[in-house]
Amino acid sequence: MQRRKFLQVAGMSAGAAAMPTAWWLGRKPAADLGTTGAPIVLNQLGYPTGATKLATLRSPSPTFTVRSASSGAIVLQGNPGAARDDAASGDRVQLADFSSLRHPGAYGLETTAGKSAPFEIGDDLYRHALWLTIRSYYGQRCGCNVDLGGGYSHPACHLSAEFHPTSGKRGPYKNHGGWHDAGDYGRYVVNSGISTGTLLWTWEMSNSAVRKLDLKIPESGGKLPDFLAETRWNLDWMLSLQDDDGGVWHKQTSENFCAFIMPQDDHLTSYVIGTGSSPYKSTCATADLAAVAAIAARCYGPYDDAYAKNCLDAAKRAYAWASKHPDVTFENPGSIRTGGYGDTDCRDELLWAAAELWRTTGDDQYRHAFETGVTYLRSGNGLEVKTPGWSELSSLALWSYALADRKGASPELLAQIRESSAREAARLVENSKQNGYANTMSLSDYVWGSNGVAGNQSLQLIVTDRLQKNIEFRQTAAENLHYLLGRNCWDLSWVTQLGRNPFQHPHHRPSAADDIAEPWPGLLSGGPNAHPGDRVAASLPRRPPMQMYKDDQAAYSLNEIAINWNAPLVFLLAALNTQ
């Protein structure tokens, strides 16, 4: 699949499995509800006791009732909000607020139109979801034996590599590792950049939620916490694509995508691919490594000082190269047909690298580079704060500068970052209030990977809350989790093997080729896309953007998975597990 910058502008829990079901036997079967879900939709994992709890009613009703799932006794009655037309889904909906219900247990919600599926209220509902989504990265590993249990396994793959002529070098190259980027077996530095950076920010900002997780990976039980060990598997591969001069090659893939086969059966040559002309490395990839390696130096130092120093040295060399070559962009050369991740503007990557290096080292050269480089983000409304994405990293740069807590930071610039971030966060909060499914997305956000946009908007809200405390920002961030896990017009959890009704057919080669009915666990679908980018998506009738989805393996512009979409979901779940 070709991932381009213009597209980026804009499970059942253990408790649920044990729920009594007698009272719910009269629930209308999903098959009778049409193509877009049930009459009442909500987070299929449930809600924390003290959290805001909203369900979307897809058929107007004057009242709603919440009952105990075990006894059928009424525990709450109320009036839903006014009926409204939801532009994203085309539905006429109401929101039922049952936030006042705080007693742990299993419940169901009913209206004159029907009944919801049972849901839980409790204090530890998202811990398994966090574990499952982090562990999905082990399932994406390249170059080692993988065994998630339950048959989800494969032997080591892609153990040999060669330099492609576009790299400026020839011959074999001894490297392996990294994560398969998406549904294909390619590895891409720019997408690894935001993915690995987001996970390392998770470690820094929600450490208590991830520090002691037992991910049951080959490194479990070692000195390094499992979360950092898994992240290092990809970081080491990123470091291996750095040339002696400090520059970083753009990606490592075959020339074309392989068939839908298991990774060990892909015998196409794994090439280190460059720009095709001198200096062969790309600015965006190099600056991405500089930023991520600088964060890594902070995270790994307490466990492996030598490794942290190696990361910092790599970051400095990469930043020096990128500063010397600030506009070497990438597009697929000649015979290459794998994901492009082409980006025509690397100023945001350079800005992020400068901010992270200053935060790590305190060296004024990086502070000065950031404070000079930030000029392009200024507008009549102050600084432009954008939702992060693989090709838009400027906000990560702004936030890292503000979070650095170092002497020498400009008080004026810090105030501008906080003010502009809060303004954009308030806009997302207002979106949530206006949307019938309470997510934060605007109509223009239903692009390729819209579920990743929702995740990154939650990251944006959580980081902004850290900069300028506002409980509404964190509460709104959680609304996107509810959307991703079932409170959407499809009554669908967009995470494999999570929730009562998870999607089943990701565009993901191991899920298609392993002869197991269920897909590999913990993977987030790209989600609805108003701009069809494949044959299946193009065949759908034109509908409102949330309706532009199909759970189909061939629909890669709707239903592929990707490491950069899972990363903000991990960040969000970790933040919610620290509350």
Side-chain angles (χ1 to χ4, degrees):
M1 130 184 162
Q2 182 77 356
R3 304 170 185 88
R4 295 186 182 274
K5 188 164 186 175
F6 76 91
L7 290 172
Q8 300 292 334
V9 175
M12 182 176 287
S13 68
M19 283 184 186
T21 58
W23 183 68
W24 300 101
L25 291 178
R27 181 172 178 258
K28 194 176 183 182
D32 295 337
L33 297 169
T35 60
T36 57
I40 302 170
V41 291
L42 36 68
N43 185 329
Q44 294 172 14
L45 296 189
Y47 299 84
T49 54
T52 301
K53 306 172 188 70
L54 300 175
T56 295
L57 313 183
R58 302 186 66 243
S59 297
S61 177
T63 61
F64 69 87
T65 300
V66 181
R67 295 179 183 266
S68 165
S70 58
S71 68
I74 295 174
V75 297
L76 182 69
Q77 289 182 307
N79 303 110
R84 64 174 85 172
D85 293 321
D86 179 59
S89 64
D91 292 339
R92 186 160 180 80
V93 301
Q94 293 171 290
L95 288 175
D97 188 338
F98 52 102
S99 303
S100 61
L101 183 57
R102 298 188 172 202
H103 187 73
Y107 301 94
L109 193 152
E110 65 176 10
T111 70
T112 55
K115 301 171 183 177
S116 77
F119 61 89
E120 285 189 88
I121 293 177
D123 291 323
D124 199 26
L125 300 179
Y126 304 148
R127 189 162 303 280
H128 175 67
L130 174 62
W131 182 86
L132 196 73
T133 52
I134 293 173
R135 198 162 183 258
S136 72
Y137 286 97
Y138 174 37
Q140 291 294 102
R141 279 197 193 188
C142 183
C144 76
N145 294 333
V146 169
D147 189 354
L148 294 176
Y152 300 100
S153 64
H154 65 75
C157 59
H158 306 104
L159 292 176
S160 62
E162 293 184 18
F163 284 107
H164 195 269
T166 59
S167 69
K169 296 188 176 184
R170 294 181 180 272
Y173 187 49
K174 291 186 178 181
N175 85 326
H176 69 277
W179 295 319
H180 297 142
D181 177 75
D184 62 278
Y185 298 135
R187 288 160 283 171
Y188 308 82
V189 172
V190 290
N191 209 41
S192 279
I194 189 170
S195 305
T196 311
T198 297
L199 293 178
L200 292 176
W201 271 36
T202 302
W203 174 261
E204 291 189 307
M205 295 184 67
S206 299
N207 186 271
S208 63
V210 299
R211 184 176 64 249
K212 296 182 180 181
L213 284 175
D214 177 5
L215 297 179
K216 303 188 185 307
I217 57 178
E219 298 83 358
S220 292
K223 180 181 178 182
L224 198 61
D226 283 9
F227 186 92
L228 288 182
E230 185 56 56
T231 307
R232 179 170 172 169
W233 185 262
N234 195 63
L235 179 60
D236 284 347
W237 170 78
M238 292 179 69
L239 291 167
S240 77
L241 258 65
Q242 185 174 38
D243 198 3
D244 293 339
D245 62 1
V248 179
W249 287 289
H250 198 78
K251 63 179 181 177
Q252 184 171 355
T253 74
S254 50
E255 290 192 324
N256 294 282
F257 293 122
C258 71
F260 267 67
I261 54 178
M262 293 297 289
Q264 71 273 15
D265 297 325
D266 175 18
H267 301 301
L268 297 175
T269 302
S270 177
Y271 285 114
V272 175
I273 294 171
T275 62
S277 60
S278 182
Y280 299 105
K281 284 75 66 174
S282 73
T283 305
C284 288
T286 304
D288 269 320
L289 177 69
V292 171
I295 308 170
R298 302 195 299 265
C299 296
Y300 290 89
Y303 303 96
D304 189 336
D305 185 62
Y307 184 70
K309 288 178 179 177
N310 179 59
C311 287
L312 185 56
D313 176 67
K316 290 177 177 179
R317 292 190 298 112
Y319 185 79
W321 189 96
S323 298
K324 184 179 178 181
H325 306 89
D327 55 3
V328 182
T329 58
F330 180 89
E331 61 180 37
N332 269 336
S335 61
I336 308 300
R337 296 290 182 271
T338 50
Y341 285 110
D343 190 341
T344 59
D345 186 351
C346 299
R347 290 177 296 178
D348 51 320
E349 285 84 357
L350 282 162
L351 197 68
W352 186 32
E356 297 293 4
L357 275 162
W358 178 64
R359 186 176 177 184
T360 300
T361 67
D363 190 325
D364 275 347
Q365 69 165 312
Y366 302 119
R367 177 185 60 79
H368 178 72
F370 173 85
E371 292 174 353
T372 303
V374 80
T375 304
Y376 86 99
L377 294 173
R378 296 189 186 280
S379 66
N381 294 323
L383 290 171
E384 193 173 5
V385 176
K386 304 175 182 179
T387 298
W390 67 262
S391 64
E392 182 45 72
L393 299 161
S394 59
S395 293
L396 297 183
L398 296 174
W399 297 330
S400 194
Y401 179 87
L403 292 167
D405 193 26
R406 282 196 172 274
K407 292 181 179 179
S410 164
E412 179 184 5
L413 184 51
L414 289 173
Q416 290 174 348
I417 293 171
R418 292 191 184 101
E419 178 184 348
S420 297
S421 296
R423 183 178 63 245
E424 283 303 300
R427 182 183 66 81
L428 295 177
V429 170
E430 185 60 26
N431 280 358
S432 176
K433 292 177 179 178
Q434 296 300 320
N435 288 343
Y437 291 87
N439 65 23
T440 61
M441 291 193 292
S442 301
L443 296 180
S444 59
D445 292 325
Y446 288 88
V447 295
W448 199 323
S450 65
N451 285 343
V453 174
N456 276 310
Q457 288 178 347
S458 288
L459 180 151
Q460 182 176 348
L461 287 159
I462 290 165
V463 174
T464 304
D465 174 65
R466 178 68 66 93
L467 296 176
Q468 187 166 312
K469 285 295 181 183
N470 186 326
I471 188 61
E472 196 171 30
F473 293 165
R474 290 185 70 87
Q475 290 173 341
T476 302
E479 299 301 339
N480 284 335
L481 180 68
H482 307 326
Y483 166 76
L484 294 174
L485 296 183
R487 196 187 59 205
N488 52 67
C489 71
W490 296 93
D491 185 29
L492 198 66
S493 167
W494 274 308
V495 181
T496 52
Q497 298 200 28
L498 197 61
R500 167 185 50 79
N501 184 32
F503 84 109
Q504 295 294 313
H505 306 290
H507 184 89
H508 177 244
R509 279 162 175 76
S511 293
D514 63 2
D515 295 324
I516 300 174
E518 290 284 330
W520 283 49
L523 301 170
L524 178 67
S525 168
N529 181 3
H531 312 282
D534 61 74
R535 175 184 53 80
V536 172
S539 70
L540 296 177
R542 298 300 296 178
R543 307 169 182 162
M546 195 190 297
Q547 294 266 7
M548 297 299 293
Y549 173 77
K550 187 173 184 180
D551 186 4
D552 190 314
Q553 173 195 300
Y556 50 84
S557 69
L558 309 176
N559 217 34
E560 188 164 21
I561 60 91
I563 57 173
N564 64 308
W565 300 335
N566 256 65
L569 177 59
V570 168
F571 183 97
L572 171 58
L573 286 164
L576 295 179
N577 273 285
T578 62
Q579 292 189 114

